[in-house]
Amino acid sequence: MRRKRFGSYSGIGGQAVLEGIMMKNKDQYAVAVRKPNGEIEVEVDVYHGVMHGSKIKNIPFLRGIFNFLDSLILGTRTLNFSASFYEEEEDTKKKDTFFDKMLKGNAERILMGMTTVFAVVLAIAVFIVLPYFLADCLRDYIRNDSLMAIIEGAIRILIFLLYVISISAMKDIKRVYQYHGAEHKCINCIEKGRPLTVRNVMRSSRLHKRCGTSFLFFVMFVSIILFFFIRVDNPVQRVAVRILLIPVVAGISYEIIRLAGRSNHILVGILSAPGMWLQRLTTKEPDESMAEVAMKAVEAVFDWKEYLYDTFGYVVDDSWLVDEEPAEEKADE
């Protein structure tokens, strides 16, 4: 009999999109979207990512940079796919025709690239540059550079929290947060050794160590440490250093969250705790229809029955997959 390893790493991950979920397993990904008519549309495709086939993607700290770029590119692609079901069809056709003619059939690829670049630039401006200038306003009153670095980091975290809280008031974003919760619940359900049913998904936790929210927390935490020790006197150079260190911060943060997703050590749990707390803001409890969408995305790219057999040592009886009447059970935390 195989040894049961509850909380085992499955290798799948994903993100919430507009009225749906994207799930990725190795190079294959699936996007499941609940269309306006109530049907679930599932698209399965392959994304190899930048530097595909290069050994550099296996080098610790460097691989995190390319994984971060891949997540931005694939995230934008899948978000555009889900949004296409909710755009005005006539207006969309007109825009597609105009841009396709102007850009010689490369409209979607070019516009997606421009959107990704704009999002990165905006994020750098808001979460990297702005906190520096806000903290710098206090330089006449605070002469201690170490304290200034800590204040800058605190401002960065505060801006991030205000951003998350403010957009959560939007109806569409609240639903995205619910789908985000459904994504985590599906992965937790499988990694806890439970058959993938609506009931099991709904009673699983909406928090997960490998979440992008936790990654963003590590980015902020690592940036505080690096900016604390790496200092220059010139104000322009200070801003330049912060921007140039972004790949380094991303690489280190990726290794931390990668470790967090594969280890149940108590120290890893303590390190992951703040990111898990933040997830209470970026995930909401989904309804059963959202869980169904997430399950479709998982099943399109991942053989969870084989995973349960290989990891936990039992065969899933198909009779288990028929959900019983919902029981009043508290979700895992």
Side-chain angles (χ1 to χ4, degrees):
M1 182 69 176
R2 291 174 176 81
R3 181 183 178 184
K4 297 183 179 181
R5 294 172 292 169
F6 293 99
S8 295
Y9 175 72
S10 65
I12 58 173
Q15 73 168 54
V17 295
L18 185 63
E19 292 299 326
I21 299 287
M22 182 275 287
M23 286 289 186
K24 188 172 184 292
N25 181 28
K26 298 179 180 177
D27 289 336
Q28 193 175 37
Y29 72 92
V31 190
V33 179
R34 179 79 69 177
K35 298 193 294 185
N37 63 7
E39 296 178 357
I40 300 176
E41 178 81 12
V42 181
E43 180 183 75
V44 181
D45 206 342
V46 173
Y47 176 73
H48 293 299
V50 297
M51 304 295 290
H52 174 64
S54 174
K55 292 183 179 180
I56 197 172
K57 292 195 73 172
N58 297 322
I59 300 175
F61 300 104
L62 289 181
R63 61 190 172 192
I65 300 171
F66 300 109
N67 275 280
F68 177 64
L69 290 175
D70 286 338
S71 66
L72 288 176
I73 295 170
L74 184 58
T76 303
R77 178 186 297 181
T78 54
L79 188 59
N80 288 341
F81 171 77
S82 66
S84 67
F85 293 101
Y86 291 86
E87 294 176 346
E88 292 295 333
E89 186 176 352
E90 186 176 343
D91 290 343
T92 303
K93 287 181 178 179
K94 288 180 180 179
K95 287 189 289 185
D96 288 346
T97 301
F98 172 75
F99 284 115
D100 273 337
K101 288 181 178 179
M102 186 174 69
L103 300 173
K104 299 180 180 180
N106 295 316
E108 183 177 355
R109 181 170 59 85
I110 294 175
L111 289 175
M112 187 172 64
M114 292 172 60
T115 301
T116 303
V117 171
F118 175 76
V120 171
V121 172
L122 184 62
I124 291 173
V126 174
F127 298 112
I128 299 296
V129 179
L130 179 60
Y132 165 74
F133 282 111
L134 291 178
D136 197 57
C137 294
L138 302 174
R139 194 166 292 277
D140 291 338
Y141 307 97
I142 301 174
R143 298 293 183 179
N144 188 300
D145 288 338
S146 298
L147 182 56
M148 286 294 296
I150 295 173
I151 291 174
E152 180 187 341
I155 292 174
R156 183 171 294 110
I157 293 174
L158 180 61
I159 290 175
F160 175 70
L161 290 175
L162 290 175
Y163 167 76
V164 170
I165 293 171
S166 62
I167 65 172
S168 65
M170 301 169 60
K171 181 180 178 181
D172 289 342
I173 297 299
K174 182 179 179 180
R175 289 188 64 80
V176 171
Y177 283 175
Q178 287 181 285
Y179 275 106
H180 189 192
E183 173 219 332
H184 286 182
K185 280 175 173 285
C186 268
I187 298 174
N188 279 323
C189 176
I190 296 169
E191 294 184 341
K192 291 290 186 180
R194 297 168 179 160
L196 194 65
T197 67
V198 172
R199 185 188 183 198
N200 285 340
V201 169
M202 292 300 292
R203 62 191 283 255
S204 298
S205 174
R206 73 176 199 265
L207 311 179
H208 199 280
K209 289 181 180 180
R210 297 197 312 272
C211 176
T213 304
S214 294
F215 173 78
L216 291 176
F217 166 78
F218 288 132
V219 165
M220 291 184 287
F221 179 73
V222 171
S223 68
I224 292 174
I225 296 175
L226 289 183
F227 299 162
F228 184 90
F229 290 104
I230 301 176
R231 303 174 186 175
V232 291
D233 294 329
N234 186 285
V236 176
Q237 291 178 347
R238 288 196 200 109
V239 175
V241 165
R242 279 155 175 74
I243 295 174
L244 292 174
L245 283 175
I246 290 175
V248 179
V249 172
I252 296 173
S253 301
Y254 174 79
E255 296 303 323
I256 297 174
I257 199 168
R258 190 172 186 271
L259 173 64
R262 289 167 167 79
S263 173
N264 290 320
H265 194 278
I266 186 171
L267 292 179
V268 174
I270 294 172
L271 192 62
S272 301
M276 300 288 277
W277 295 334
L278 282 176
Q279 287 180 47
R280 295 185 180 277
L281 297 176
T282 61
T283 63
K284 300 296 181 184
E285 284 294 330
D287 58 36
E288 292 188 354
S289 68
M290 295 172 176
E292 290 172 355
V293 174
M295 289 167 58
K296 290 287 187 182
V298 171
E299 292 172 335
V301 294
F302 186 74
D303 189 341
W304 60 268
K305 292 182 183 179
E306 181 179 351
Y307 168 78
L308 291 185
Y309 177 74
D310 291 341
T311 307
F312 301 99
Y314 64 81
V315 178
V316 176
D317 190 319
D318 287 342
S319 63
W320 299 355
L321 306 184
V322 179
D323 278 318
E324 302 172 359
E325 290 296 319
E328 294 294 329
E329 297 183 68
K330 185 178 178 180
D332 298 333
E333 290 296 343

